[in-house]
Structure formats: structure tokens, C-alpha cells
Amino acid sequence: MTKPEALLSLPAGSPASLGQVTEVAGRLARAINTVIEGKPDVVHTAITVLLAEGHLLLEDVPGVGKTMLAKTLARSIDCSVRRVQFTPDLLPSDITGVSVFNQDVRDFEFRPGAIFANVVVGDEINRASPKTQSALLESMEEGQVTVDGQTYDLPKPFIVMATQNPIEMEGTYPLPEAQRDRFMARISLGYPSSRAEVAMLDSHGQVSPLETLQPVTDAATVSAMVRAVRSVFTSDAIKQYVVDLSAATRSSSALRLGASPRASLHMLRAARAHAALEGRDHVLPDDVQAIVLPVLAHRIIPTGETQLARRSTGEVLQDLMRRVPVPAAGR
């Protein structure tokens, strides 16, 4: 049995070095991998999104561990966590909060909703109505909530990790493009390998490893890591490369909806986080290419001809990456 790692914490407001970023991220990955068997790439992407100040959409068939991954990442960090089970009768005020009249003070007081946490796990987000889904838009984009004309800041760091089942359509409301665009990345866990599934039966057969998982860091340290990621150097050539990739999706004949300017910004942030996790203080084209699929695939919409040809959005993106010139060294 693996010995749990000690909690690594930095004083609130103190800066983090890139060495500390890679060390803490490694601890997070090891902790999560003890629960999620055989999915190191998926875990790496989840940590990348956390450090890039994004939100994560977990989309896959039932039973592959979507909610387990979200809960494991949340438990690995010693911070506030709220889980919301999205259902058709869930109200927007259940998420954002509501002003209630207090008889004692003869005034209205605000009671925060489930969104007021560092990590918000939204289970089966597409089961809620569009009105309830829209309650997440302001918080995911601006890190704040407005109720009755009053604006309330959300805690930092802040990440929404939402799950949805793409094949079960009865009783669901598909996420609109505006909502999907606010998720920095979408990942699918897929089925585990035979060896990983046997290991899962062994580790989860009696007691879930999630029950004994201990936090390896805290909210203040994650916030310091986020600030360190923001300082990762990005050259003008890399920024132009990001823009060129987005522009290629907008002009592609295989797509009827390309990447938005928000997608370009998310690519840049994710590339910085990827570079930091690799221990570098600058972004390379390889960092951009590594995050293109999870960041863009859920935002673009293929044409009817592309769908008839059974080409996935991932295949379209791979083709576009081969066509867009990569910045040369020294540019």
C-alpha cells in the first residue's frame, strides 16, 4: 500500500516557483492515479485545466469514472468542494443562491448557493433545464455571481468539473454552444485496458481508494501555482500560431462553426500550464499541439458532409494542424 504524501502548503499570497509547480502537480497526479487506474493522460489534462484557470467537461458513457475523477481531484486539494446533482427540477437559485428576508434584522440576507466553492462538481449537467444551465455562465466566465443586483465574488481558485452522458438523450437538454465554449477542455476517459480494469477490481473491490485519499495540497498553494503559470513566457510567434490554428477552423470547409476568440485564449492559457508542468518557463509549439484536441474539439461543429463521411472533429483538427505552419526555432 502506497504511503500518503504529506500536505504541501505555501503561505497565502506567497509566489510559487516552477519547481514547486511541477512538484505539487506531480503529487496531485500520483494521488489521483491511485484512484483512477490507467488514465495518466486524462489526469494530466485535468491538472492542466486546473492550473490554467479553466473548467473541465467530462463526457463519456456511464460507468467509466467521470464523477470519480472529478471527486478525486477535488479531494486531493484541501479546499471547499460542493457537488451538484443536476436534475430537471433544479432551480437557478439552487446554484447561485438567493436573498431571504431575515425577521431578526428586518432585512434581506444572501444565502450562497452551491457555486460558492473552490471545486464545484456538476454531475450530469445536461439533465438540468437550459435556464438552470445558464446560471453557470457568469460564474464560469467572470468568477462572480450577481443576485438581485448584488455581485458576489467566488473563492479562488475556482473550477467547475461537469459530467455528462452523450448517448442517453431521454430527459436531457444538450449543452448549447455558448455553454460548451466556457469549458476550457473536454475529455473522455474511455474504457480501461484489461490490465487496468483488473487492477481496478483489486483496488475497488472492497473499499474505494477515494475513501482513504488524503489531500496533498491546499487552495492557497494552487492559487500560487496559477499565478506562476501566468508568468510563463509566450513569444509573439507562439501567439500567432494559436491565432492561426483558430483561424484555420473558421475557414475550414469541413466545419460549419470554428473556434471562438475565447477558444484562442483558452489555448494560450492551457499551453502555458502544459509548459509549466513540463518544467519550462516558456511555451513551445509542442505545448500548443498537445492541448489542441481537448481544448477545441468540443467547440467546433462539423458540416453535414463531414458527418456523412464519418470524420470526427478530432480528425479534422489533426488535419488542420498538419496544414498550419509551425513557428521555426528562434522566431
Side-chain angles (χ1 to χ4, degrees):
M1 184 175 178
T2 304
K3 182 180 178 181
E5 299 192 58
L7 181 73
L8 195 154
S9 177
L10 295 175
S14 65
S17 66
L18 283 179
Q20 290 171 321
V21 170
T22 54
E23 180 186 356
V24 177
R27 290 181 176 217
L28 276 173
R30 288 191 292 273
I32 298 172
N33 284 325
T34 62
V35 181
I36 306 298
E37 302 283 351
K39 297 295 180 181
D41 293 340
V42 169
V43 172
H44 187 276
T45 301
I47 296 174
T48 300
V49 171
L50 173 68
L51 299 184
E53 302 176 88
H55 306 287
L56 186 63
L57 179 62
L58 304 166
E59 187 177 84
D60 214 324
V61 296
V64 295
K66 301 185 299 295
T67 305
M68 181 67 74
L69 172 60
K71 291 167 63 179
T72 303
L73 177 61
R75 187 166 291 188
S76 299
I77 306 169
D78 187 16
C79 62
S80 58
V81 180
R82 298 289 293 274
R83 179 181 175 184
V84 184
Q85 185 67 49
F86 282 78
T87 56
D89 60 347
L90 189 72
L91 298 175
S93 58
D94 295 330
I95 296 176
T96 60
V98 64
S99 295
V100 178
F101 188 76
N102 189 327
Q103 292 282 3
D104 295 332
V105 298
R106 297 288 179 175
D107 199 2
F108 285 91
E109 64 178 20
F110 178 66
R111 294 187 179 176
I115 200 68
F116 284 84
N118 295 112
V119 181
V120 179
V121 180
D123 208 8
E124 295 184 318
I125 187 174
N126 56 334
R127 286 196 173 278
S129 67
K131 183 176 182 180
T132 302
Q133 290 179 18
S134 66
L136 290 169
L137 295 179
E138 181 186 10
S139 58
M140 292 176 67
E141 181 66 18
E142 302 173 39
Q144 64 183 30
V145 168
T146 302
V147 177
D148 294 335
Q150 284 283 88
T151 300
Y152 305 90
D153 291 329
L154 295 174
K156 301 292 183 184
F158 173 68
I159 181 174
V160 174
M161 301 182 67
T163 71
Q164 71 168 353
N165 174 7
I167 66 171
E168 186 178 0
M169 301 307 297
E170 184 176 351
T172 64
Y173 303 85
L175 294 181
E177 281 70 30
Q179 179 75 65
R180 296 172 73 89
D181 198 46
R182 280 169 168 78
F183 284 100
M184 176 173 284
R186 179 194 65 182
I187 55 178
S188 298
L189 276 74
Y191 292 111
S193 65
S194 177
R195 179 179 297 179
E197 195 162 2
V198 170
M200 181 201 71
L201 295 179
D202 184 49
S203 61
H204 293 249
Q206 296 179 342
V207 178
S208 172
L210 183 62
E211 296 181 11
T212 57
L213 184 68
Q214 297 296 319
V216 297
T217 189
D218 57 17
T221 303
V222 173
S223 294
M225 294 166 67
V226 168
R227 291 192 296 271
V229 166
R230 291 177 193 161
S231 66
V232 172
F233 175 75
T234 311
S235 68
D236 291 340
I238 294 294
K239 293 175 184 176
Q240 186 62 53
Y241 183 47
V242 168
V243 172
D244 290 345
L245 286 170
S246 292
T249 65
R250 298 166 194 161
S251 59
S252 173
S253 59
L255 303 172
R256 63 183 178 91
L257 178 67
S260 66
R262 183 190 287 120
S264 300
L265 180 60
H266 283 179
M267 270 199 292
L268 176 65
R269 290 177 177 173
R272 283 174 175 164
H274 188 275
L277 292 178
E278 295 296 319
R280 281 184 275 102
D281 62 355
H282 59 282
V283 178
L284 297 177
D286 291 349
D287 298 312
V288 178
Q289 293 169 357
I291 54 85
V292 164
L293 292 184
V295 172
L296 293 187
H298 64 293
R299 306 170 191 265
I300 59 179
I301 299 179
T303 61
E305 291 80 3
T306 303
Q307 291 176 313
L308 287 174
R310 297 185 179 277
R311 293 183 67 199
S312 68
T313 53
E315 291 171 335
V316 173
L317 288 172
Q318 292 280 14
D319 184 47
L320 292 178
M321 278 195 288
R322 286 191 289 268
R323 297 181 185 181
V324 175
V326 179
R331 283 178 56 190

